[in-house]
Coordinates of all heavy atoms in Angstrom, one line a residue:
M21 N -219.5 197.8 63.1 CA -218.1 197.2 62.8 C -217.3 197.5 64.1 O -217.3 198.6 64.6 CB -217.5 197.9 61.6 CG -216.1 197.5 61.4 SD -215.1 198.4 60.3 CE -215.6 197.6 58.8
T22 N -216.6 196.4 64.5 CA -215.7 196.5 65.7 C -214.3 196.8 65.2 O -213.9 196.2 64.2 CB -215.8 195.2 66.5 OG1 -217.1 194.9 66.9 CG2 -214.9 195.3 67.7
R23 N -213.7 197.7 65.9 CA -212.3 198.0 65.5 C -211.4 197.5 66.6 O -211.7 197.5 67.8 CB -212.1 199.5 65.3 CG -212.9 200.0 64.2 CD -212.7 201.5 64.1 NE -212.2 201.8 62.8 CZ -211.8 203.0 62.4 NH1 -211.8 204.0 63.3 NH2 -211.4 203.2 61.2
A24 N -210.2 197.1 66.2 CA -209.2 196.7 67.2 C -207.8 197.3 66.8 O -207.5 197.5 65.7 CB -209.0 195.1 67.1
I25 N -207.1 197.6 67.9 CA -205.8 198.1 67.7 C -204.8 197.0 68.0 O -204.9 196.4 69.1 CB -205.5 199.3 68.6 CG1 -206.4 200.5 68.2 CG2 -204.0 199.8 68.5 CD1 -206.3 201.7 69.1
V26 N -203.9 196.7 67.1 CA -203.0 195.6 67.3 C -201.6 196.2 67.3 O -201.2 197.0 66.4 CB -203.0 194.6 66.1 CG1 -202.0 193.5 66.3 CG2 -204.4 194.0 66.1
R27 N -200.8 195.9 68.3 CA -199.4 196.4 68.4 C -198.5 195.2 68.7 O -198.9 194.3 69.4 CB -199.3 197.5 69.4 CG -199.5 197.1 70.8 CD -199.4 198.3 71.8 NE -199.7 197.8 73.1 CZ -198.8 197.9 74.1 NH1 -197.7 198.5 73.9 NH2 -199.2 197.5 75.3
H28 N -197.4 195.3 68.2 CA -196.4 194.3 68.4 C -195.3 194.8 69.3 O -194.8 195.9 69.1 CB -195.7 193.9 67.1 CG -196.7 193.3 66.1 ND1 -197.1 192.0 66.1 CD2 -197.4 193.9 65.1 CE1 -198.0 191.8 65.2 NE2 -198.2 192.9 64.5
V29 N -195.1 194.1 70.4 CA -194.1 194.5 71.4 C -193.0 193.4 71.4 O -193.3 192.2 71.7 CB -194.8 194.6 72.8 CG1 -193.7 194.9 73.9 CG2 -195.9 195.6 72.8
P30 N -191.8 193.8 71.2 CA -190.7 192.8 71.2 C -190.5 192.2 72.6 O -190.7 192.9 73.6 CB -189.5 193.6 70.8 CG -190.0 194.8 70.1 CD -191.3 195.1 70.7
H31 N -190.2 191.0 72.7 CA -189.9 190.3 74.0 C -188.6 189.6 73.9 O -188.1 189.2 72.8 CB -191.0 189.2 74.2 CG -192.4 189.7 74.4 ND1 -193.2 190.3 73.5 CD2 -193.1 189.7 75.6 CE1 -194.3 190.6 74.0 NE2 -194.3 190.3 75.3
T32 N -188.0 189.3 75.0 CA -186.8 188.5 75.1 C -187.0 187.5 76.2 O -187.9 187.7 77.1 CB -185.5 189.3 75.5 OG1 -185.7 190.0 76.7 CG2 -185.2 190.3 74.4
I33 N -186.3 186.4 76.2 CA -186.4 185.4 77.2 C -185.0 185.2 77.9 O -184.0 185.2 77.2 CB -187.0 184.0 76.7 CG1 -187.3 183.1 77.8 CG2 -186.1 183.4 75.6 CD1 -188.1 181.9 77.4
R34 N -185.0 185.1 79.2 CA -183.8 185.0 79.9 C -183.8 183.9 80.9 O -184.8 183.6 81.5 CB -183.5 186.4 80.6 CG -183.4 187.5 79.7 CD -183.1 188.8 80.4 NE -183.0 189.9 79.4 CZ -183.0 191.1 79.7 NH1 -183.1 191.5 81.0 NH2 -182.9 192.0 78.8
Q35 N -182.6 183.4 81.2 CA -182.4 182.5 82.3 C -182.7 183.1 83.6 O -182.3 184.3 83.9 CB -180.9 182.0 82.3 CG -180.6 181.1 83.5 CD -181.1 179.7 83.4 OE1 -181.3 179.2 82.4 NE2 -181.5 179.2 84.6
H36 N -183.5 182.5 84.5 CA -183.9 183.0 85.8 C -182.6 183.0 86.7 O -182.1 181.9 86.9 CB -185.0 182.3 86.4 CG -185.7 183.0 87.5 ND1 -185.1 183.3 88.7 CD2 -186.9 183.6 87.6 CE1 -185.9 184.0 89.5 NE2 -187.0 184.2 88.8
P37 N -182.2 184.1 87.2 CA -180.9 184.1 88.0 C -181.0 183.4 89.3 O -179.9 183.1 89.9 CB -180.6 185.6 88.2 CG -181.9 186.2 88.1 CD -182.7 185.4 87.1
D38 N -182.2 183.2 89.9 CA -182.3 182.5 91.2 C -182.5 181.0 91.1 O -182.8 180.4 92.1 CB -183.5 183.1 91.9 CG -183.3 184.6 92.2 OD1 -182.2 185.1 92.2 OD2 -184.4 185.3 92.3
T39 N -182.3 180.4 89.9 CA -182.5 179.0 89.8 C -181.2 178.4 89.1 O -180.5 179.2 88.5 CB -183.7 178.6 88.9 OG1 -183.6 179.2 87.6 CG2 -185.0 179.2 89.6
R40 N -181.1 177.1 89.2 CA -179.9 176.5 88.6 C -180.3 175.6 87.5 O -181.4 175.0 87.5 CB -179.2 175.7 89.7 CG -178.6 176.6 90.8 CD -177.9 175.8 91.8 NE -176.5 175.5 91.2 CZ -175.5 175.0 91.8 NH1 -175.7 174.6 93.1 NH2 -174.4 174.7 91.2
V41 N -179.5 175.4 86.5 CA -179.7 174.5 85.4 C -179.6 173.0 85.9 O -178.6 172.8 86.7 CB -178.7 174.7 84.2 CG1 -178.9 173.7 83.1 CG2 -179.0 176.1 83.7
M42 N -180.5 172.2 85.6 CA -180.4 170.7 85.9 C -180.2 169.9 84.7 O -180.7 170.2 83.6 CB -181.7 170.3 86.6 CG -181.9 170.9 88.0 SD -180.7 170.4 89.2 CE -181.1 168.7 89.4
F43 N -179.4 168.9 84.8 CA -179.1 168.0 83.7 C -179.6 166.6 84.1 O -179.6 166.1 85.2 CB -177.6 167.9 83.5 CG -176.9 169.2 83.1 CD1 -176.5 170.0 84.1 CD2 -176.9 169.5 81.8 CE1 -175.9 171.2 83.7 CE2 -176.3 170.8 81.4 CZ -175.8 171.6 82.4
E44 N -180.3 165.9 83.1 CA -180.9 164.6 83.2 C -180.5 163.8 82.0 O -180.1 164.3 81.0 CB -182.4 164.7 83.3 CG -182.9 165.5 84.4 CD -184.4 165.6 84.4 OE1 -185.1 165.2 83.4 OE2 -185.0 166.1 85.4
A45 N -180.6 162.4 82.2 CA -180.3 161.5 81.1 C -181.1 160.2 81.3 O -181.4 159.9 82.4 CB -178.8 161.2 81.0
S46 N -181.4 159.6 80.2 CA -182.1 158.3 80.3 C -181.6 157.4 79.1 O -181.3 157.9 78.0 CB -183.6 158.5 80.2 OG -184.0 159.0 78.9
C47 N -181.5 156.1 79.4 CA -181.1 155.1 78.4 C -182.3 154.9 77.5 O -183.4 154.6 78.0 CB -180.7 153.8 79.1 SG -180.2 152.5 78.0
Q48 N -182.0 154.9 76.2 CA -183.1 154.7 75.2 C -183.4 153.3 74.9 O -184.3 153.0 74.2 CB -182.8 155.5 74.0 CG -182.7 157.0 74.1 CD -184.1 157.6 74.7 OE1 -185.0 157.8 73.9 NE2 -184.1 157.8 76.0
R49 N -182.6 152.4 75.5 CA -182.8 151.0 75.3 C -183.6 150.3 76.5 O -184.5 149.6 76.2 CB -181.5 150.3 75.2 CG -181.6 148.8 74.8 CD -180.4 148.2 74.3 NE -180.5 146.8 74.1 CZ -179.6 146.0 73.9 NH1 -178.3 146.4 73.9 NH2 -179.8 144.7 73.7
C50 N -183.3 150.7 77.7 CA -183.9 150.1 78.9 C -184.7 151.0 79.8 O -185.4 150.6 80.7 CB -182.9 149.3 79.7 SG -181.8 150.3 80.6
G51 N -184.6 152.3 79.5 CA -185.3 153.3 80.4 C -184.6 153.7 81.7 O -185.1 154.4 82.4
W52 N -183.4 153.2 81.9 CA -182.6 153.6 83.0 C -182.5 155.1 83.1 O -182.4 155.8 82.1 CB -181.2 153.0 82.9 CG -180.2 153.5 83.9 CD1 -179.9 153.1 85.1 CD2 -179.3 154.6 83.6 NE1 -178.9 153.8 85.7 CE2 -178.5 154.8 84.8 CE3 -179.1 155.5 82.6 CZ2 -177.6 155.8 84.9 CZ3 -178.1 156.5 82.7 CH2 -177.4 156.6 83.9
L53 N -182.5 155.7 84.3 CA -182.4 157.1 84.5 C -181.2 157.5 85.3 O -181.0 156.9 86.4 CB -183.7 157.6 85.2 CG -185.0 157.4 84.5 CD1 -186.2 157.8 85.5 CD2 -185.0 158.2 83.2
A54 N -180.5 158.5 84.9 CA -179.4 159.0 85.7 C -180.0 159.9 86.8 O -181.1 160.4 86.7 CB -178.5 159.9 84.8
V55 N -179.3 160.0 87.9 CA -179.7 160.9 89.0 C -179.5 162.3 88.5 O -178.3 162.7 88.1 CB -178.9 160.6 90.3 CG1 -179.2 161.6 91.3 CG2 -179.1 159.2 90.7
P56 N -180.5 163.2 88.5 CA -180.3 164.5 88.0 C -179.3 165.3 88.8 O -179.1 165.0 90.0 CB -181.7 165.2 88.2 CG -182.7 164.0 88.2 CD -181.9 162.9 88.8
S57 N -178.6 166.2 88.2 CA -177.5 167.0 88.8 C -177.4 168.3 88.2 O -177.8 168.5 87.0 CB -176.2 166.2 88.7 OG -175.1 167.0 89.2
T58 N -176.8 169.3 88.9 CA -176.5 170.6 88.4 C -175.2 170.6 87.6 O -174.8 171.5 87.0 CB -176.4 171.6 89.5 OG1 -175.5 171.2 90.5 CG2 -177.8 171.8 90.1
D59 N -174.5 169.4 87.6 CA -173.2 169.2 87.0 C -173.4 168.3 85.8 O -173.6 167.1 86.0 CB -172.2 168.7 88.0 CG -170.8 168.7 87.4 OD1 -170.6 168.7 86.2 OD2 -169.8 168.6 88.2
A60 N -173.2 168.7 84.6 CA -173.4 167.9 83.4 C -172.4 166.7 83.4 O -172.7 165.6 83.0 CB -173.2 168.7 82.1
D61 N -171.2 166.9 83.9 CA -170.2 165.9 83.9 C -170.6 164.7 84.8 O -170.3 163.6 84.5 CB -168.8 166.4 84.3 CG -168.2 167.4 83.3 OD1 -168.6 167.3 82.1 OD2 -167.3 168.2 83.7
V62 N -171.3 165.0 85.9 CA -171.7 164.0 86.8 C -172.7 163.1 86.1 O -172.7 161.8 86.2 CB -172.3 164.6 88.1 CG1 -173.1 163.5 88.9 CG2 -171.3 165.3 88.9
V63 N -173.7 163.7 85.3 CA -174.7 162.9 84.6 C -174.0 162.1 83.5 O -174.3 160.9 83.3 CB -175.8 163.8 84.1 CG1 -176.7 163.1 83.2 CG2 -176.5 164.5 85.2
D64 N -173.1 162.7 82.8 CA -172.4 162.0 81.7 C -171.6 160.8 82.3 O -171.6 159.7 81.7 CB -171.4 162.9 81.0 CG -172.1 163.9 80.1 OD1 -173.3 163.8 79.8 OD2 -171.4 164.9 79.6
E65 N -171.0 160.9 83.4 CA -170.3 159.8 84.0 C -171.2 158.7 84.4 O -170.9 157.5 84.2 CB -169.5 160.3 85.3 CG -168.8 159.3 86.0 CD -167.6 158.7 85.2 OE1 -167.0 159.4 84.4 OE2 -167.2 157.6 85.5
Q66 N -172.4 159.0 84.9 CA -173.4 158.0 85.1 C -173.8 157.2 83.9 O -173.9 156.0 83.9 CB -174.6 158.6 85.7 CG -174.5 159.1 87.1 CD -175.7 159.8 87.6 OE1 -176.7 159.1 87.8 NE2 -175.7 161.1 87.8
C67 N -173.9 157.9 82.8 CA -174.2 157.3 81.5 C -173.1 156.4 81.0 O -173.3 155.3 80.5 CB -174.5 158.4 80.4 SG -176.0 159.3 80.7
L68 N -171.8 156.8 81.2 CA -170.7 156.0 80.8 C -170.6 154.7 81.7 O -170.4 153.6 81.1 CB -169.4 156.8 81.0 CG -169.2 157.9 80.0 CD1 -168.1 158.8 80.4 CD2 -169.0 157.4 78.6
V69 N -170.9 154.8 82.9 CA -170.9 153.6 83.8 C -172.0 152.7 83.4 O -171.8 151.5 83.2 CB -171.1 154.0 85.3 CG1 -171.4 152.8 86.2 CG2 -169.8 154.8 85.8
H70 N -173.2 153.2 83.1 CA -174.3 152.4 82.6 C -174.0 151.7 81.3 O -174.2 150.5 81.1 CB -175.6 153.2 82.5 CG -176.8 152.4 82.0 ND1 -177.4 151.5 82.8 CD2 -177.4 152.4 80.7 CE1 -178.4 150.9 82.0 NE2 -178.4 151.5 80.8
A71 N -173.4 152.4 80.4 CA -173.0 151.9 79.1 C -172.0 150.8 79.3 O -172.0 149.7 78.6 CB -172.4 153.0 78.2
G72 N -171.0 151.0 80.2 CA -170.0 149.9 80.4 C -170.6 148.7 81.0 O -170.1 147.6 80.7
R73 N -171.6 148.8 81.8 CA -172.2 147.6 82.5 C -173.2 146.9 81.6 O -173.4 145.7 81.7 CB -172.9 148.0 83.8 CG -171.9 148.4 84.8 CD -172.6 148.9 86.1 NE -171.6 149.2 87.1 CZ -171.8 149.9 88.2 NH1 -173.1 150.3 88.4 NH2 -170.9 150.1 89.1
S74 N -173.9 147.7 80.7 CA -175.0 147.1 80.0 C -174.8 147.0 78.5 O -175.5 146.4 77.8 CB -176.2 148.0 80.2 OG -176.0 149.3 79.6
N75 N -173.7 147.7 78.0 CA -173.5 147.8 76.5 C -174.6 148.6 75.8 O -174.7 148.6 74.6 CB -173.2 146.5 75.9 CG -172.5 146.6 74.6 OD1 -171.6 147.6 74.4 ND2 -172.7 145.8 73.6
H76 N -175.4 149.3 76.6 CA -176.4 150.2 76.0 C -175.7 151.5 75.6 O -174.9 152.1 76.4 CB -177.5 150.5 76.9 CG -178.3 149.3 77.3 ND1 -179.2 149.3 78.4 CD2 -178.3 148.0 76.8 CE1 -179.7 148.1 78.5 NE2 -179.2 147.3 77.6
R77 N -175.9 152.0 74.4 CA -175.1 153.2 74.0 C -175.8 154.4 73.5 O -175.3 155.4 73.0 CB -174.2 152.7 72.8 CG -173.2 151.6 73.3 CD -172.3 151.2 72.2 NE -171.5 150.1 72.6 CZ -170.5 149.6 71.9 NH1 -170.3 150.1 70.7 NH2 -169.8 148.6 72.3
I78 N -177.2 154.4 73.6 CA -178.0 155.5 73.2 C -178.7 156.1 74.4 O -179.4 155.5 75.1 CB -179.0 155.1 72.1 CG1 -178.4 154.4 70.9 CG2 -179.8 156.3 71.7 CD1 -177.5 155.3 70.1
F79 N -178.4 157.4 74.6 CA -179.0 158.1 75.8 C -179.7 159.4 75.3 O -179.2 160.0 74.4 CB -177.9 158.5 76.8 CG -177.2 157.3 77.4 CD1 -176.1 156.7 76.8 CD2 -177.7 156.7 78.6 CE1 -175.5 155.6 77.3 CE2 -177.1 155.6 79.1 CZ -176.0 155.0 78.5
R80 N -180.7 159.7 76.0 CA -181.4 161.0 75.8 C -180.9 161.9 77.0 O -181.0 161.5 78.1 CB -182.9 160.9 75.9 CG -183.6 162.2 75.6 CD -185.1 162.0 75.7 NE -185.7 162.9 76.7 CZ -185.6 162.7 78.1 NH1 -185.0 161.7 78.6 NH2 -186.2 163.6 78.9
R81 N -180.3 163.1 76.6 CA -179.9 164.0 77.7 C -180.7 165.2 77.6 O -181.0 165.7 76.5 CB -178.4 164.3 77.5 CG -177.5 163.1 77.6 CD -176.0 163.4 77.6 NE -175.6 164.2 76.5 CZ -174.4 164.8 76.4 NH1 -173.5 164.7 77.3 NH2 -174.1 165.5 75.3
A82 N -180.9 165.8 78.7 CA -181.7 167.1 78.8 C -181.1 168.0 79.7 O -180.6 167.7 80.8 CB -183.2 166.7 79.2
M83 N -181.2 169.3 79.4 CA -180.8 170.4 80.2 C -182.1 171.2 80.5 O -182.8 171.7 79.6 CB -179.8 171.3 79.5 CG -179.3 172.5 80.4 SD -178.2 173.5 79.5 CE -179.3 174.5 78.6
L84 N -182.4 171.3 81.8 CA -183.7 171.9 82.2 C -183.3 173.2 83.0 O -182.4 173.3 83.8 CB -184.5 171.0 83.1 CG -184.8 169.6 82.6 CD1 -185.4 168.7 83.6 CD2 -185.7 169.7 81.4
S85 N -184.1 174.3 82.7 CA -183.9 175.5 83.4 C -185.2 176.3 83.5 O -186.2 176.0 82.8 CB -182.8 176.4 82.6 OG -183.3 176.8 81.4
H86 N -185.2 177.3 84.3 CA -186.3 178.2 84.5 C -185.9 179.5 83.7 O -184.8 179.9 83.9 CB -186.7 178.5 85.9 CG -187.3 177.3 86.6 ND1 -186.6 176.4 87.3 CD2 -188.6 176.9 86.7 CE1 -187.4 175.5 87.8 NE2 -188.6 175.8 87.5
A87 N -186.9 180.0 83.0 CA -186.6 181.2 82.3 C -187.8 182.2 82.5 O -188.9 181.8 83.0 CB -186.5 181.0 80.8
F88 N -187.6 183.4 82.2 CA -188.7 184.4 82.2 C -188.6 185.3 81.0 O -187.6 185.5 80.4 CB -188.7 185.2 83.6 CG -187.5 186.1 83.7 CD1 -187.6 187.5 83.5 CD2 -186.2 185.7 84.0 CE1 -186.6 188.4 83.6 CE2 -185.1 186.5 84.2 CZ -185.3 187.9 83.9
V89 N -189.8 185.9 80.7 CA -189.9 186.8 79.5 C -190.0 188.2 80.0 O -190.7 188.5 80.9 CB -191.2 186.4 78.7 CG1 -191.5 187.4 77.6 CG2 -191.1 185.0 78.2
V90 N -189.3 189.1 79.2 CA -189.3 190.5 79.5 C -189.8 191.2 78.2 O -189.3 191.0 77.1 CB -187.9 191.0 79.8 CG1 -187.9 192.5 80.0 CG2 -187.3 190.3 81.0
R91 N -190.8 192.1 78.4 CA -191.3 192.9 77.3 C -190.4 194.1 77.2 O -189.9 194.6 78.2 CB -192.7 193.4 77.6 CG -193.7 192.3 77.5 CD -195.1 192.9 77.6 NE -196.1 191.8 77.6 CZ -197.2 191.8 78.2 NH1 -197.6 192.9 79.0 NH2 -198.1 190.8 78.1
E92 N -190.2 194.6 76.0 CA -189.4 195.8 75.7 C -190.0 196.9 76.5 O -191.2 197.1 76.5 CB -189.3 196.1 74.2 CG -188.4 197.2 73.9 CD -188.3 197.5 72.4 OE1 -187.5 196.8 71.8 OE2 -189.1 198.3 71.9
G93 N -189.1 197.6 77.2 CA -189.6 198.8 78.0 C -189.9 198.5 79.4 O -190.2 199.4 80.2
E94 N -190.0 197.2 79.8 CA -190.3 196.8 81.2 C -189.0 196.6 81.9 O -187.9 196.3 81.3 CB -191.1 195.6 81.2 CG -192.6 195.8 80.8 CD -193.4 194.5 81.0 OE1 -192.8 193.5 81.3 OE2 -194.6 194.6 80.9
S95 N -189.0 196.6 83.2 CA -187.9 196.3 84.0 C -187.4 194.8 83.8 O -188.3 193.9 83.7 CB -188.2 196.5 85.5 OG -187.2 195.9 86.3
P96 N -186.1 194.6 83.7 CA -185.7 193.2 83.4 C -185.6 192.4 84.7 O -185.0 191.3 84.7 CB -184.3 193.4 82.8 CG -183.8 194.7 83.4 CD -185.1 195.6 83.6
E97 N -186.2 192.9 85.8 CA -186.2 192.1 87.0 C -187.0 190.9 86.9 O -188.2 191.0 86.5 CB -186.6 193.0 88.2 CG -185.7 194.1 88.6 CD -184.3 193.6 89.0 OE1 -184.3 192.7 89.8 OE2 -183.3 194.1 88.5
P98 N -186.5 189.7 87.3 CA -187.3 188.5 87.2 C -188.4 188.4 88.3 O -188.2 189.0 89.4 CB -186.3 187.4 87.4 CG -185.2 188.0 88.2 CD -185.2 189.5 87.8
P99 N -189.4 187.7 88.0 CA -190.4 187.4 89.1 C -189.8 186.5 90.1 O -188.7 185.9 89.9 CB -191.6 186.8 88.3 CG -191.0 186.2 87.1 CD -189.8 187.1 86.8
A100 N -190.5 186.3 91.2 CA -190.0 185.3 92.2 C -189.7 183.9 91.6 O -190.5 183.5 90.7 CB -190.9 185.2 93.3
A101 N -188.7 183.3 92.0 CA -188.4 181.9 91.5 C -189.5 181.0 91.9 O -190.1 181.0 93.0 CB -187.0 181.5 92.1
P102 N -189.7 180.0 91.0 CA -190.7 179.0 91.3 C -190.3 178.0 92.4 O -189.2 177.9 92.7 CB -190.8 178.2 90.0 CG -189.6 178.6 89.1 CD -189.1 179.8 89.7

């Protein structure tokens, strides 16, 4: 019989401090893409302009970021940024 020891270690996930959040958007009617930006308002403005010109009103918006996982008891220092 093989025995195994199982232990549960709590983890947390954190925003990587050396990277920036990026915002993106796409029109769900025609596939138009906003120019990605680190400023959400810039992307929203692009969507408003596209909606005004095309009357397309449904957009998919995304916020992208890099994160890292820290195990309880380990140093919270992040690994090198991607």
